[in-house]
Amino acid sequence: MLYFDHCASTPPHEDVIQTIAEVMRIHYANPSSIHQAGADAGNLIERARGLVAKLFRTKPEEWIFTSGGTESNNLAILGAARQYAGRGKHLITTMIEHASVYETFQQLEREGFTVTYLPVDEFGSVSAEAVEAALTDETILVSIMHVNNEVGSVQPIADIGRLLADRPKTLFHIDAVQSIGKLPIDIAGWGIDLLSGSAHKVRGPKGVGILYMKSGLKLHPIVYGGEQERSMRPGTSNTPSIVASAKAFRIAIEEAEARCSQWRMLRSRLIGHLDGIQELVLNGSAETDSAPHIVHFSYPGMKPEVIVHALEQRGFVVSTKSACSSKDDKPSRVIQAISDDSRRAASGIRISFGSEHTEQHIDQLAQAVRDTVAELKPLERRN
């Protein structure tokens, strides 16, 4: 079985597995305890925090460990909006954000905030000009994902950051869950105030996220009951997974340039194959302005789960949309925003690469897609 669903989760790196086992076996004390065993565990967490900070050229105290990308996004957005509501109650995001961002803004609307959801172009990109036009004196937060988790569109984060540079009361949050280890990130240079990441997207363990919070900022907590993580994320720290996650981020970022080049070649090869299948429609851009590890297409008139299971029977694991929403049979909000085509939005398939994939794997996958389309063609819905 060939696994092409790396956007949903990744196979953990062997070094990560070994690290978890070693730390779990030796450093099982609560890292908040005052005895030496607790202090040893706590020191490991601080070393992991320092490593993450070094990778992003930031300060260790600017990083918080969470339970994953969803919690990091929730804490960044809810925490910032509620903390700084006295400055204003206008927020800006896009129509294509991950559910952990999009639905968090919907919650803030219920709390009395006003949210502007920016549209995107046919490739899934928002413009800095659209952000600028939406800004008001009441805007306290702009949240834009770096890489879209469905179609792989890359947003102009540097341009938006420059736009917000002279607005110190407007915070800039980036969901970087799908870009860490795939594309360069310049937190200081892009004027980022808050940034979310997730370990299991970079061959780390599930259950660990990271949140960058620029020095001087405060966030209103969304969980209570302890002083861990500067009281921003109370609860017993998961020492083994945090330490292993730092290692996963290090490996992913150090290998990113080489991996990115390989993925771009594989992506171009796969798109070339799929272009020859007239029933399919590519979503996102075929050019290098998209993330290197994602290909997304639709088969209008065909249920995506039928395609997923047909490909699985041929030995290939792919997905429909975000794993967080994959069991929801509603059309993709992202594809709807790109195309305004409900049939296209209801039939999307996402393919995402990993370091194990080769040109031969791509050719085999393309043939499996071709055979699947031929098999399903008589069943195509014409409604």
Side-chain angles (χ1 to χ4, degrees):
M1 190 71 70
L2 287 174
Y3 182 79
F4 280 94
D5 195 17
H6 280 248
C7 277
S9 195
T10 56
H13 197 286
E14 187 59 36
D15 287 353
V16 167
I17 296 172
Q18 292 177 7
T19 296
I20 289 177
E22 181 180 356
V23 175
M24 186 175 289
R25 182 170 54 249
I26 299 172
H27 298 283
Y28 46 80
N30 190 316
S32 297
S33 297
I34 63 172
H35 48 62
Q36 189 58 50
D40 290 344
N43 288 336
L44 283 180
I45 291 176
E46 293 314 308
R47 285 171 57 187
R49 197 187 313 277
L51 175 56
V52 171
K54 184 178 180 180
L55 291 170
F56 291 95
R57 301 180 300 280
T58 53
K59 303 173 185 177
E61 61 269 23
E62 293 178 310
W63 289 93
I64 295 170
F65 291 113
T66 70
S67 66
T70 292
E71 185 184 354
S72 292
N73 282 333
N74 272 253
L75 177 55
I77 296 165
L78 292 174
R82 292 167 178 169
Q83 180 69 35
Y84 296 105
R87 296 179 179 176
K89 302 195 77 172
H90 179 240
L91 316 168
I92 298 174
T93 189
T94 78
M95 294 292 295
I96 64 166
E97 299 298 311
H98 185 270
S100 63
V101 170
Y102 191 82
E103 293 180 17
T104 300
F105 277 103
Q106 291 185 314
Q107 171 59 34
L108 287 169
E109 285 185 290
R110 291 189 284 270
E111 295 179 17
F113 289 85
T114 300
V115 180
T116 298
Y117 297 93
L118 298 175
V120 294
D121 64 19
E122 61 184 308
F123 302 118
S125 294
V126 71
S127 69
E129 290 76 16
V131 174
E132 184 174 24
L135 289 168
T136 75
D137 291 340
E138 294 287 306
T139 306
I140 59 171
L141 176 66
V142 175
S143 178
I144 310 285
M145 65 184 352
H146 189 190
V147 168
N148 180 261
N149 56 293
E150 288 190 38
V151 301
S153 53
V154 180
Q155 306 306 333
I157 300 303
D159 293 340
I160 297 171
R162 283 191 291 269
L163 173 68
L164 299 175
D166 60 350
R167 296 178 61 97
K169 293 185 178 181
T170 302
L171 301 182
F172 190 23
H173 167 247
I174 303 302
D175 175 355
V177 166
Q178 292 293 349
S179 61
I180 294 175
K182 281 84 176 180
L183 296 174
I185 296 174
D186 186 355
I187 289 179
W190 296 350
I192 295 171
D193 298 299
L194 298 155
L195 179 141
S196 306
S198 176
H200 78 102
K201 307 295 187 179
V202 293
R203 303 191 65 186
K206 295 174 180 64
V208 178
I210 52 175
L211 175 62
Y212 169 78
M213 186 173 76
K214 186 177 180 180
S215 293
L217 293 184
K218 294 182 180 180
L219 295 178
H220 194 284
I222 60 174
V223 180
Y224 299 87
E227 298 181 357
Q228 296 91 342
E229 299 301 314
R230 296 157 53 191
S231 299
M232 289 291 96
R233 207 279 171 177
T236 303
S237 299
N238 185 343
T239 308
S241 292
I242 287 173
V243 174
S245 293
K247 176 169 285 190
F249 283 119
R250 177 183 62 76
I251 294 171
I253 291 172
E254 288 179 351
E255 296 181 351
E257 186 174 352
R259 297 297 186 199
C260 180
S261 177
Q262 171 74 359
W263 289 332
R264 288 204 185 281
M265 182 274 292
L266 296 179
R267 183 175 190 271
S268 178
R269 190 180 187 92
L270 180 57
I271 289 174
H273 283 304
L274 299 181
D275 275 346
I277 306 174
Q278 64 179 5
E279 290 84 0
L280 306 184
V281 179
L282 179 69
N283 297 309
S285 172
E287 306 302 324
T288 57
D289 56 351
S290 283
H293 62 301
I294 301 174
V295 173
H296 194 287
F297 66 86
S298 291
Y299 183 175
M302 188 60 61
K303 291 184 177 181
E305 60 269 25
V306 174
I307 304 172
V308 168
H309 294 313
L311 286 172
E312 189 171 15
Q313 290 176 354
R314 288 177 165 84
F316 298 89
V317 176
V318 301
S319 62
T320 55
K321 45 189 175 179
S322 166
C324 297
S325 306
S326 61
K327 294 182 181 179
D328 179 358
D329 61 0
K330 294 180 181 178
S332 164
R333 172 170 43 82
V334 174
I335 307 305
Q336 193 75 46
I338 291 173
S339 66
D340 196 26
D341 183 336
S342 58
R343 293 176 77 245
R344 183 170 158 187
S347 60
I349 296 294
R350 182 182 67 186
I351 298 167
S352 46
F353 312 136
S355 58
E356 73 272 26
H357 295 129
T358 66
E359 293 181 42
Q360 183 181 13
H361 293 152
I362 293 297
D363 295 344
Q364 292 170 346
L365 172 61
Q367 185 60 52
V369 172
R370 191 175 291 109
D371 292 343
T372 296
V373 171
E375 177 187 33
L376 297 178
K377 180 69 175 174
L379 305 177
E380 183 179 328
R381 296 179 298 167
R382 294 295 184 180
N383 53 11

